[in-house]
Amino acid sequence: MMKQLISGVLLACTVSLSMFVMPVQAKDLPDFTELAEKQGPTVVNISITSVVHGGGGMGFPGMPNDENLQELLRRFGIPGMPGMPGQEGGQDYKTQSLGSGFIISSDGFILTNAHVVSEADEVLVKLSDKREFKAKIIGADKRTDVALIKIEATGLPKVVIGDPTALKVGEWVAAIGSPFGLENTMTAGIVSAKGRALPQENYVPFIQTDVAINPGNSGGPLFNLRGEVVGVNSQIYSKSGGSMGLSFSIPIDVAIEISNQLKTTGRISRGWLGIGIQEVTKDLADSFGLKQTSGALIAGVEKNSPADKGGLEVGDIILKFDGKPIVTSADLPRVVASIKPGKVVAVEIVRKGASKTLQLGVGEMPNEQADAPASSKEPAKPEANKIGLTLRELTPQQKKKLNGKNGLLVAESVGAAAQAGIRRGDVILGLNNSETQSVELFNKQINAVAAGKTVAVLVLRGENTLYVPIKVSK
C-alpha cells in the first residue's frame, strides 16, 4: 500500500513537472532548418590532389586512400612510415584528401584552412549545385591556418560575416562541411569557451565548441543562429580521429584580416617585438614581490630587436600593450601581431616592483627565426648550491654565442632545482631581476635566501628562455 502511494505521488509529481518543463524545453530548442537552407549553398567541398615523389617499397598500388588518416597525418605533419607509399626508390603517385570551405565573395573567393591546401598540386572545388571548378591558391598562412583560394565564377551565394566577439559561452552554433567526404553535412552544439589558447598556436584566440567536427570539416564555417559566420573550423581534440566534443574554430575576424592581406599583397605582415615570454604563476609573482598573477613575463630579449631598442628588459612584466590589457601571456602575441609594423605604442610594465610606461616602435615579424645558441657539454665539478645546482663559468666562445651576455652552465641539477625542471646543459642567465655575474655571486645570493621562499631562475635551453620558480629548502 505504501509503495503504491509513493509510486502514485511520484507519478503525480512527474506528470505535474512535465506540464511545466516540457513546453519550456520545446520553446527553447533552436530550429536550424532555415539556416541550413539559406547557408548550405555558400559552403563548398574541396578535393586536394598531391603528387608524392618516390613511392614504392611495400606500398599498395590502387588501394584508395583513407581520408581520415590522410588529413590527420597532414594536420600533424607526420611523415610516411617505412614501407608506406612516399618512400624513396619508387615511382611517383598521387594522393587525395578532402576538406571544406565557404564563399566570401560572389566572384569566387573562398576561405579554408591552410593545412587543407598547403601541399596541394591541384585543388578542385565542388559547389552545392554539383558544379566543379579548379581553384587557384591565392595564399596561405600557416601561423593562423587560414588560406584563400579563388575559382572563376560569378554570381555565387556568399556568407554573411558575423561578430565573434559578441558570441557568448553557451550560445548555439552550427557547422556545415564535408566530414569524411559527406558533403553539406550540418552538425550543431554550443560555444564551450572563448579565447582558448592552444599549444604552439600563439596568434589565434580559438572558439571552443562541442559541435561534432570530423576530418573533412576542416576549413568549413561555424555559424551563429542568425546565419552569420563567426569562425572557421580548424582543429579537434581526439584520441580516435573522430569527434570527442572538443573542436576549435578560428574567429572569423582573424580569418578575414588574413585573407584581406593575402588578397591585396600576397603576404602576411605582423607586428613583432623579439622577446620570449611566459605566464606569471603564483610562485613567480611571489618571487618578484607582486600581488597579482596577470601579465606576460619577459624571459628573453633578442639583441637589436624592437623590444631591445625600446628598452624592454628580461624580468619586466607587461600589463598593457597599446592600451589593451594583457591578462595572460597568451594575450600578448595576438595583440602585438595585430599591430601594423612601424607604429609606436605605449607599453605598461612592472620592473622590479615599480610601474613604468615605455614608448616602443613595433617591428615586422621576420619570416625565419635566428639560429639558437648551442650549449656546452664540458663537465665541471664544483659543489652544488642550496637549490641543487652545480654551476660553471662559460668560456669566451660560449659567451659570444650568447651575444656577450653572462651565463652559468648547469653541470648537474639535483634536489629542488631538478624537481623544478632544470637539467644539465641549461644555461642560467639570471636570478629574479638580476643578471648572473659569477658562480660565486650566484651561490652567495641563493644561500642568502630564507628557507621556504621562492626564487625565479632565468634559464636558457636551446633557443628558449624561461623563468623557473624554485622553492628554497633548508
Side-chain angles (χ1 to χ4, degrees):
M1 183 68 178
M2 181 62 71
K3 289 183 179 180
Q4 293 177 345
L5 178 60
I6 293 175
S7 299
V9 172
L10 288 175
L11 178 60
C13 290
T14 303
V15 173
S16 177
L17 284 172
S18 65
M19 293 175 60
F20 292 98
V21 175
M22 291 304 291
V24 174
Q25 289 178 336
K27 181 180 179 181
D28 288 347
L29 288 175
D31 183 356
F32 294 100
T33 56
E34 185 177 351
L35 192 158
E37 291 173 2
K38 290 186 176 180
Q39 302 306 323
T42 67
V43 184
V44 303
N45 172 263
I46 300 177
S47 176
I48 300 94
T49 301
S50 303
V51 177
V52 178
H53 301 286
M58 295 178 62
F60 305 96
M63 178 177 286
N65 291 291
D66 186 329
E67 189 274 333
N68 184 357
L69 176 62
Q70 287 289 331
E71 178 154 335
L72 286 175
L73 293 180
R74 285 162 57 85
R75 183 68 186 98
F76 295 102
I78 302 174
M81 294 177 288
M84 291 288 286
Q87 302 301 308
E88 295 182 0
Q91 297 180 347
D92 295 351
Y93 78 105
K94 292 183 178 181
T95 64
Q96 289 188 328
S97 57
L98 300 174
S100 303
F102 54 98
I103 304 166
I104 59 172
S105 67
S106 58
D107 56 350
F109 283 97
I110 295 169
L111 270 185
T112 185
N113 284 150
H115 78 261
V116 170
V117 300
S118 60
E119 303 297 330
D121 289 291
E122 182 180 272
V123 179
L124 187 67
V125 170
K126 181 188 286 187
L127 306 184
S128 62
D129 60 10
K130 307 305 180 183
R131 286 186 293 165
E132 296 185 356
F133 299 85
K134 285 187 178 180
K136 177 183 177 182
I137 301 175
I138 303 301
D141 177 45
K142 292 184 178 180
R143 293 183 188 272
T144 56
D145 196 24
V146 173
L148 181 68
I149 62 177
K150 174 76 164 62
I151 61 174
E152 294 303 320
T154 58
L156 299 175
K158 63 178 183 178
V159 298
V160 177
I161 304 300
D163 179 10
T165 63
L167 277 178
K168 295 181 179 180
V169 174
E171 181 176 341
W172 283 96
V173 285
I176 302 178
S178 304
F180 303 107
L182 301 172
E183 300 171 14
N184 233 244
T185 296
M186 171 178 276
T187 52
I190 62 168
V191 176
S192 305
K194 293 178 59 178
R196 182 70 77 194
L198 299 180
Q200 309 304 317
E201 305 282 356
N202 296 326
Y203 302 100
V204 179
F206 285 97
I207 302 167
Q208 179 184 326
T209 75
D210 68 353
V211 177
I213 301 295
N214 288 287
N217 275 116
S218 291
L222 183 73
F223 292 101
N224 61 22
L225 284 183
R226 292 182 294 279
E228 302 165 336
V229 175
V230 290
V232 183
N233 301 316
S234 175
Q235 299 187 37
I236 60 174
Y237 175 84
S238 176
K239 294 182 179 180
S240 64
S243 174
M244 292 182 65
L246 288 172
S247 57
F248 302 93
S249 303
I250 305 159
I252 192 62
D253 55 349
V254 173
I256 291 296
E257 169 60 26
I258 294 298
S259 70
N260 288 340
Q261 290 195 50
L262 291 173
K263 185 177 180 180
T264 56
T265 67
R267 61 185 293 269
I268 301 300
S269 178
R270 288 187 177 87
W272 175 68
L273 293 182
I275 60 175
I277 59 173
Q278 68 182 92
E279 197 72 18
V280 181
T281 64
K282 185 179 185 305
D283 286 339
L284 287 173
D286 291 342
S287 67
F288 283 107
L290 301 174
K291 294 182 179 179
Q292 79 280 355
T293 57
S294 60
L297 173 61
I298 298 180
V301 178
E302 186 175 327
K303 190 175 182 180
N304 295 322
S305 65
D308 186 29
K309 295 176 181 177
L312 288 176
E313 299 176 0
V314 172
D316 289 347
I317 298 175
I318 299 178
L319 299 179
K320 278 190 177 182
F321 195 90
D322 195 28
K324 299 178 179 65
I326 306 301
V327 180
T328 69
S329 61
D331 295 333
L332 186 62
R334 303 168 191 164
V335 172
V336 174
S338 68
I339 294 176
K340 186 176 181 180
K343 181 180 179 180
V344 177
V345 301
V347 185
E348 294 183 25
I349 65 171
V350 173
R351 176 178 295 168
K352 297 181 179 179
S355 298
K356 191 173 184 178
T357 300
L358 303 176
Q359 297 297 319
L360 184 147
V362 177
E364 184 173 6
M365 183 178 294
N367 291 328
E368 296 181 358
Q369 297 180 353
D371 292 334
S375 60
S376 170
K377 295 183 180 179
E378 296 179 22
K381 298 181 180 179
E383 293 183 358
N385 59 27
K386 195 172 182 178
I387 57 175
L389 289 176
T390 301
L391 305 170
R392 64 174 294 275
E393 307 286 348
L394 295 180
T395 65
Q397 291 80 6
Q398 291 165 346
K399 286 185 179 181
K400 187 176 181 180
K401 294 178 181 179
L402 296 178
N403 295 320
K405 290 184 179 179
N406 287 319
L408 304 174
L409 181 69
V410 177
E412 188 177 359
S413 177
V414 297
Q419 292 175 8
I422 298 180
R423 61 194 188 208
R424 182 177 179 177
D426 289 344
V427 175
I428 306 301
L429 298 178
L431 178 65
N432 292 339
N433 285 307
S434 301
E435 294 183 2
T436 57
Q437 301 297 327
S438 66
V439 172
E440 181 181 1
L441 181 58
F442 183 90
N443 289 341
K444 184 177 180 180
Q445 292 173 322
I446 285 292
N447 291 334
V449 177
K453 293 289 185 180
T454 301
V455 295
V457 178
L458 182 61
V459 177
L460 171 67
R461 180 177 297 160
E463 64 179 357
N464 299 313
T465 51
L466 183 75
Y467 271 106
V468 177
I470 302 177
K471 190 172 185 178
V472 179
S473 57
K474 295 181 180 180

